[in-house]
Amino acid sequence: MGVALVALFVALGGTGYAAGGAFSGDGDGLRAETAARRGARRVQRGPRGFTGARGPAGPRGTAGPAGSTGAAGERGAPGATGATGPQGPAGTAKAFASISSGGRVRAGHAFAITDANVSIRSRGYYCFDLSGVGITSANAVPIAAVDYSDDNTSSGDVLAVISSGDFNNCTAGQIGVRTYDDAGGFDPAGFTIAFM
């Protein structure tokens, strides 16, 4: 009887130890269960496949609003001078000149008119004799304007061109120019004149 009891206790003690070892704090049982679950998940997912080819590009979206204008850049260096253009057609004026208040033709500013063609009738009264170049009061239209670059010409000075009529006191066939100050009195002034 005693021997049988001892054998029973030894058998029960070994079973309890084995059971205690499976669920004790040593973690061997938990690690085995976790590894089994991971393996099951791998089997369910299967191995990763190859990456597929890139699909076609989608349609282009609408353009966004234009941005604000940026600051102006630095000015570039000037370019080379271009070729000289062809000469323009000849003008239609028969004669022209820039006349000083003293009745002299300004050099370089005249065509078919010289000092010999201009005389002073009286204060602020100039007469043009261009019969030598075929210009008379009967076949030319004079156009004149005050030249304020003349030293004796003041702001407010005006002029009148007289080609014919009772107000033309120049010799017959000549063309007269009268210059006035701002008060209406005769006053010498520079001017330019052209005969068309």
Side-chain angles (χ1 to χ4, degrees):
M1 177 65 77
V3 174
L5 289 173
V6 170
L8 178 61
F9 283 125
V10 170
L12 291 174
T15 303
Y17 175 78
F23 299 98
S24 64
D26 62 6
D28 290 339
L30 291 175
R31 283 194 292 271
E33 182 182 0
T34 301
R37 289 179 180 174
R38 288 177 182 168
R41 285 198 298 270
R42 289 195 188 100
V43 171
Q44 292 174 0
R45 286 200 303 260
R48 182 186 296 272
F50 295 104
T51 302
R54 184 186 295 267
R60 184 169 185 169
T62 57
S68 57
T69 303
E74 295 183 4
R75 184 168 183 168
T81 302
T84 302
Q87 183 173 352
T92 58
K94 298 176 180 179
F96 63 83
S98 175
I99 308 298
S100 71
S101 57
R104 305 297 299 272
V105 175
R106 297 182 188 278
H109 295 82
F111 168 68
I113 299 177
T114 66
D115 288 342
N117 301 121
V118 186
S119 62
I120 298 178
R121 176 80 177 186
S122 59
R123 180 179 175 83
Y125 201 153
Y126 308 86
C127 294
F128 288 83
D129 180 4
L130 299 174
S131 57
V133 291
I135 299 174
T136 67
S137 59
N139 65 10
V141 177
I143 302 173
V146 176
D147 181 4
Y148 292 102
S149 65
D150 187 272
D151 293 338
N152 292 327
T153 304
S154 304
S155 176
D157 287 352
V158 295
L159 60 75
V161 180
I162 307 166
S163 59
S164 62
D166 296 337
F167 294 101
N168 187 2
N169 293 330
C170 298
T171 303
Q174 296 182 355
I175 298 170
V177 174
R178 291 182 179 181
T179 56
Y180 305 86
D181 58 22
D182 55 0
F186 292 121
D187 189 44
F191 59 94
T192 58
I193 188 169
F195 297 89
M196 310 300 290

